[in-house]
Amino acid sequence: MTIYTLLILFNLSKPTKYVKPIIHILKIIISISIHTYIMSQKYFILIIFVLAFAYSSESRRQPFACDPANAGTRNLRFCKTSLPIHVRVQDLIGRLTLQEKIRLLVNNAAPVERLGVSGYEWWSEALHGVSNTGYGVKFGGAFPGATSFPQVITTAASFNASLWEEIGRVVSEEGRAISKVGRGQETPGEDPHLVAQYGVSYVKGLQGGGGSGNTRLKVAACCKHYTAYDLDDWNGYDRYHFNAKVSMQDLEDTYNVPFKACVVEGNVASVMCSYNQINGKPSCADPTLLRDTIRSQWHLNGYIVSDCDSVGVLFEKQHYTRYPEDAAAATINAGLDLDCGPFLAIHTDEAVRTGKVSELEINNALANTITVQMRLGMFDGPNGPYANLGPKDVCSSAHQQLALQAAREGIVLLKNIGRALPLSTQRHRTVAVIGPNSDATLTMIGNYAGVPCGYISPLQGISRYARTVHQQGCMGVACPGNQNFILAEVAARHADATVLVMGLDQSIEAEAKDRVSLLLPGHQQDLISRVAMASKGPVVLVLMSGGPIDVTFAKNDPRVSAILWVGYPGQAGGAAIADVLFGAANPGGKLPMTWYPQDYVAKVSMANMDMRANPTKGYPGRTYRFYKGPTVFPFGAGFSYTRFSQHLVSAPITVSVPTLHSHLVYNNTTTLMKTKATLRTIHTNCESLDIDMHIDVKNIGDMDGTHTVLIFSTPPDPTETKQLVAFEKVHVVAGAKQRVKINMNACKHLSVVDEYGVRRIYMGEHKIHVGDDLKHSITFQPSFEEIEV
């Protein structure tokens, strides 16, 4: 299960009643945590942690620092905006005592009153909208709630990068204005490329597209949890004690892919290390993972923060060090800049006194965090670009419409016998709405959610199109008995159509609650089958869940006419479901994860981090890339109410890869066949290896709709497998055609990772799959020439 979470962190000081207009101190941090679901609840984890500083439009604000009204501090060099940021940062650090520095290493950073710097609380949440689940956000007054978008897994099913970026922009805007951001649901899916692109898009939306150098940030985003963050609580294992044993190959081609993209492509301002150990070392104390990889190889321009209390966890629960000051020193020396928790504030002084960590290392950590704060304008006094944001910018009609659009785009049509959907307002005047999630509100927003602007439940949404007869059938998703089944059957027997809204909720899958079964809970299956048998009209099964469900019985039951997966669709979920049911919206979502049969659970231990199958041990592998057994529904599944055709217009047939003879490595040393050769990506000019494909998508049906072009690649080595390398969403009106341009890079998208974690390009024929029906081959040939690499 790979997890993505979005957090907003800020502190709201009390407005003084003696000053008019009321002064708001608004400080925000948003953390979007993308934990990516990897088969049977595996994680490669990505988050986004956002720091912002904003003002209410209805007030002047007391500055975080550098108040021009403070004669004692306004002329200090770190307050002079005309100076370069690195000069200002070093000036501030040079004025701090060791004790002041140490108190800035934790999430509830203490004020430095003598320098006019306010205290700061870095912890709140905003996974898919501003949330009050953390310490910082309390809704009320002018800000009773915020727009609640679909859960991450649902939004990812849209395969729409521009939508992801737009949601990130809206969430950051609402967070700045309020200021007062079993976890498969938190993830964008099982594919590393999909997860990476989701993270990059969100980061750009939150940060405003900037991030390189010391440019101004709208907010500061953070990707977590780095890395190979696996289970929460499963069969005696928990996240605080788990040692993830991960091969170099899996680390490079699966678990680290989203984080690298987040830093390199998204220019993210922060990365959060995880609770677990990786191959015997705690993530937050591993210099190879932090200092060497994130900062030196990927060139993070920002700070590294611990998951909350994870520094304490590695000492108190994992017993990684003998003394607490050793744990403090180990994390700071490894490259940690900020502790979400109190541990460093308590034990760093002793670590310095005993020579286990130097004050220079502490200065370096503070330079990284303070630089980000300065890029956000927190040391620029009262003037800022967001001074006019306020209640009007939260829960606006545009934002709520975007939440509805996101919910519509994330709905996946998995079955539609005889075009049972869409329903007709003329032929289906009465609809039986049945099931434990049929009138759901809170369930629709998933976890790490705040207070929505309002709810539209499935029952309310369907009632806008038809007269409804409502029966829950069973109380709650646990569905312990069948006491209400008869009433549900009667409702279905007398309705023109029946909609069963079933699935899961946070009592079944949530943080610290890993699933142990892929089946529907309790007697839900019995309710579905009995209602389907009784119904006189078409039966539509609507499933709410964050992870896969084995509904093979419904897939194979001809009396179940259609199946929709809606994830957790957010505040407007009921309206989106109804719009899809009655054809006001055409479903275009695709499953971002494989749906396995129940017997898969018995074959896979969540403590096994291996991605690749091992037939000799009966291990089937994880995700569509490595698992080749039967599925309920495959990764990328999803139909539309219309039909599309794809035609390859142009693509290269051969690609010359510049290199030297000495850099080629042959799989079989007895032959010089070029098709057996591989080349390390660092031994060629990757910038010259861009590949463009043009594909025409035609809507050959009778309804406007969206189509997702999925591009997969299979390298020449038969031991390697097909993997997603590109995707693009396109809207095509009925009877029309749209040209889609796909850009790939041989090093980034068409390379493979060997057992040592080295990324290589195979010479020879690479098979390119456009969906399931269109294939093309590109042959890579070495070009021996003098090159600069």
Side-chain angles (χ1 to χ4, degrees), residues 123 275 306-314 316 339-343:
W123 188 3
Y275 293 113
S306 74
D307 202 348
C308 295
D309 290 324
S310 61
V311 181
V313 164
L314 70 87
E316 296 162 2
D339 175 17
C340 182
F343 197 90

Side-chain angles (χ1 to χ4, degrees), residues 652 654-659 679-692 743-748 750 761 763 778 780-783 785-789:
T654 60
V655 172
S656 295
V657 182
T659 187
L679 174 70
R680 297 179 69 165
T681 55
I682 62 172
H683 289 157
T684 188
N685 182 4
C686 290
E687 293 182 359
S688 69
L689 295 178
D690 285 340
I691 298 171
D692 292 324
N743 177 263
M744 298 179 291
N745 180 271
C747 294
K748 178 183 175 183
L750 302 181
I761 300 175
M763 300 298 106
I778 301 177
F780 288 177
Q781 299 176 340
S783 174
E785 55 189 57
E786 293 297 326
I787 59 170
E788 294 183 4
V789 295

Side-chain angles (χ1 to χ4, degrees), residues 23 60-63 65-75 79 116 380-382:
I23 299 174
R60 295 178 303 167
R61 67 163 185 170
Q62 177 183 333
C66 301
D67 187 348
N70 186 336
T73 63
R74 65 190 178 195
N75 292 320
C79 291
D380 293 353

Side-chain angles (χ1 to χ4, degrees), residues 313-482:
V313 164
L314 70 87
F315 171 71
E316 296 162 2
K317 295 183 182 295
Q318 298 176 4
H319 308 295
Y320 183 68
T321 63
R322 182 176 181 182
Y323 300 109
E325 61 268 25
D326 291 334
T331 55
I332 295 173
N333 289 330
L336 187 72
D337 302 310
L338 181 67
D339 175 17
C340 182
F343 197 90
L344 291 188
I346 299 170
H347 299 291
T348 301
D349 183 65
E350 181 66 12
V352 174
R353 191 187 66 79
T354 55
K356 295 173 180 177
V357 68
S358 69
E359 189 169 353
L360 176 61
E361 291 294 340
I362 295 174
N363 291 348
N364 291 338
L366 292 180
N368 291 327
T369 55
I370 295 172
T371 294
V372 169
Q373 290 180 313
M374 287 196 176
R375 292 172 64 193
L376 289 162
M378 294 174 63
F379 287 82
D380 293 353
N383 300 316
Y386 312 119
N388 294 323
L389 291 174
K392 64 178 173 52
D393 301 293
V394 180
C395 287
S396 67
S397 58
H399 292 182
Q400 295 193 63
Q401 183 63 33
L402 183 63
L404 174 59
Q405 176 191 343
R408 287 169 171 171
E409 290 197 28
I411 292 176
V412 182
L413 178 63
L414 295 171
K415 177 182 179 182
N416 195 18
I417 297 176
R419 301 188 70 176
L421 291 179
L423 300 177
S424 167
T425 56
Q426 299 300 313
R427 290 182 288 108
H428 306 109
R429 296 177 182 270
T430 301
V431 177
V433 184
I434 297 169
N437 283 332
S438 56
D439 200 22
T441 52
L442 188 62
T443 296
M444 294 195 302
I445 62 176
N447 67 353
Y448 281 93
V451 177
C453 311
Y455 289 109
I456 301 175
S457 73
L459 177 63
Q460 292 170 327
I462 295 169
S463 296
R464 296 177 174 182
Y465 287 92
R467 187 174 72 87
T468 57
V469 180
H470 180 229
Q471 290 292 334
Q472 281 191 301
C474 49
M475 301 300 293
V477 298
C479 201
N482 60 4

Side-chain angles (χ1 to χ4, degrees), residues 612-621:
R612 288 158 173 80
N614 188 337
T616 60
K617 295 183 178 181
Y619 181 68

Side-chain angles (χ1 to χ4, degrees), residues 445-517:
I445 62 176
N447 67 353
Y448 281 93
V451 177
C453 311
Y455 289 109
I456 301 175
S457 73
L459 177 63
Q460 292 170 327
I462 295 169
S463 296
R464 296 177 174 182
Y465 287 92
R467 187 174 72 87
T468 57
V469 180
H470 180 229
Q471 290 292 334
Q472 281 191 301
C474 49
M475 301 300 293
V477 298
C479 201
N482 60 4
Q483 63 271 22
N484 296 320
F485 285 14
I486 293 176
L487 294 177
E489 291 173 284
V490 171
R493 191 173 293 120
H494 292 89
D496 300 319
T498 298
V499 177
L500 285 150
V501 191
M502 314 296 286
L504 313 178
D505 65 12
Q506 301 307 297
S507 69
I508 304 297
E509 54 178 1
E511 184 174 10
K513 189 184 291 292
D514 287 325
R515 293 169 62 193
V516 295
S517 172

Side-chain angles (χ1 to χ4, degrees), residues 53 102 269 358 394 453 568 619 624 722 733:
F53 196 67
I102 289 173
S358 69
V394 180
C453 311
Y568 294 121
Y619 181 68
Y624 77 93
K722 181 175 79 170
V733 300

Side-chain angles (χ1 to χ4, degrees), residues 114-137:
R114 66 184 184 85
L115 297 179
V117 179
S118 302
Y120 199 84
E121 172 55 64
W122 295 68
W123 188 3
S124 291
E125 311 279 349
L127 174 60
H128 48 104
V130 181
S131 170
N132 60 347
T133 56
Y135 289 166
V137 177

